[in-house]
Amino acid sequence: MQEKDIYSELSSIRNLMERSSKFISLSGLSGIMAGIYSLIGAFIGYKIVYNAHGVLQYRDSYISESQILWQLTSIAAGVLVLSLVTGIWLTIRQARKKGENFWNPVSKRLLVNMTIPLVTGGLFILILLIRGEYGIISSACLIFYGLALIAGSHYTLSAVKWLGFSEIILGLVAALIPGYGIVFWTIGFGILHILYGSIMHFKYN
């Protein structure tokens, strides 16, 4: 057997092993769309919070108004739902293009590993809301989301892990200056998603 045939066989075996141990049908476009939704949500939130002031400045007490709180919560929930629906649809489409089954043992493990830190983070954020600790909510969102990405990265593309580390670092910085939560939300869920989504799309799709 020629050397190039050996390398070809080894490459085929490696690809088969990767496909059986990792879910590689994630759509980079889903990350881009999630980033766009987040930017739109951040812009709407900015107009709600800072409309009367006209410029971005340190704020940590505006959230005491219950009406603004519920408006911002509704925006965040809307961004989350749109991102999930779009992500699932694009990923299913990507899996079908590759002739793969979207719901398989690997994708189940991916979901379980991401769900644990996401649910824990969601409950923690709920506690913060109940106690009125609004200043670090955006930080908690970024940190627990980053932990979820790292936990799930063992079962999918490696780029997800680096996105997770980026989100955690950004969340820790946000905790140091909590009055600018909307800025870190925009960077973490908007710009970083678009950046990493673009990388994944052009590299893997």
Side-chain angles (χ1 to χ4, degrees):
M1 183 179 290
Q2 296 182 354
E3 185 176 353
K4 64 178 182 179
D5 293 329
I6 295 175
Y7 284 123
S8 178
E9 289 294 329
L10 290 175
S11 179
S12 298
I13 293 172
R14 185 174 65 249
N15 288 335
L16 287 172
M17 291 178 64
E18 185 178 49
R19 291 167 76 93
S20 64
S21 61
K22 291 191 175 184
F23 185 72
I24 59 175
S25 294
L26 290 179
S27 172
L29 289 177
S30 64
I32 295 174
M33 293 305 300
I36 292 174
Y37 295 148
S38 296
L39 290 178
I40 295 173
F43 176 76
I44 297 173
Y46 169 83
K47 298 299 289 185
I48 292 174
V49 174
Y50 294 101
N51 186 48
H53 299 269
V55 295
L56 185 63
Q57 56 183 304
Y58 185 96
R59 298 291 299 277
D60 61 359
S61 60
Y62 64 83
I63 200 82
S64 60
E65 300 177 32
S66 60
Q67 183 178 2
I68 293 180
L69 171 61
W70 284 112
Q71 286 177 331
L72 295 179
T73 302
S74 299
I75 292 170
V79 169
L80 176 62
V81 171
L82 282 173
S83 298
L84 286 175
V85 171
T86 303
I88 292 173
W89 174 63
L90 289 175
T91 300
I92 291 176
R93 190 181 70 169
Q94 183 73 15
R96 288 176 177 174
K97 284 183 178 180
K98 294 183 177 182
E100 298 177 352
N101 183 18
F102 169 75
W103 191 241
N104 55 49
V106 179
S107 62
K108 291 177 183 178
R109 289 196 293 271
L110 170 64
L111 180 62
V112 170
N113 277 268
M114 291 189 68
T115 298
I116 294 173
L118 285 176
V119 171
T120 303
L123 294 174
F124 179 69
I125 292 168
L126 181 61
I127 292 172
L128 292 177
L129 285 170
I130 294 174
R131 293 181 57 86
E133 302 290 343
Y134 307 118
I136 60 172
I137 287 180
S138 63
S139 174
C141 290
L142 292 166
I143 291 173
F144 280 100
Y145 178 58
L147 291 173
L149 292 176
I150 294 174
S153 66
H154 299 291
Y155 302 99
T156 186
L157 305 174
S158 60
V160 173
K161 176 176 65 177
W162 299 111
L163 175 59
F165 282 125
S166 300
E167 298 285 357
I168 291 175
I169 293 172
L170 191 64
L172 292 175
V173 175
L176 293 174
I177 40 179
Y180 296 96
I182 195 168
V183 175
F184 291 101
W185 172 282
T186 302
I187 297 172
F189 293 109
I191 296 174
L192 286 183
H193 266 152
I194 294 175
L195 175 62
Y196 279 86
S198 299
I199 293 173
M200 290 174 63
H201 177 71
F202 290 108
K203 183 176 181 179
Y204 299 106
N205 301 148

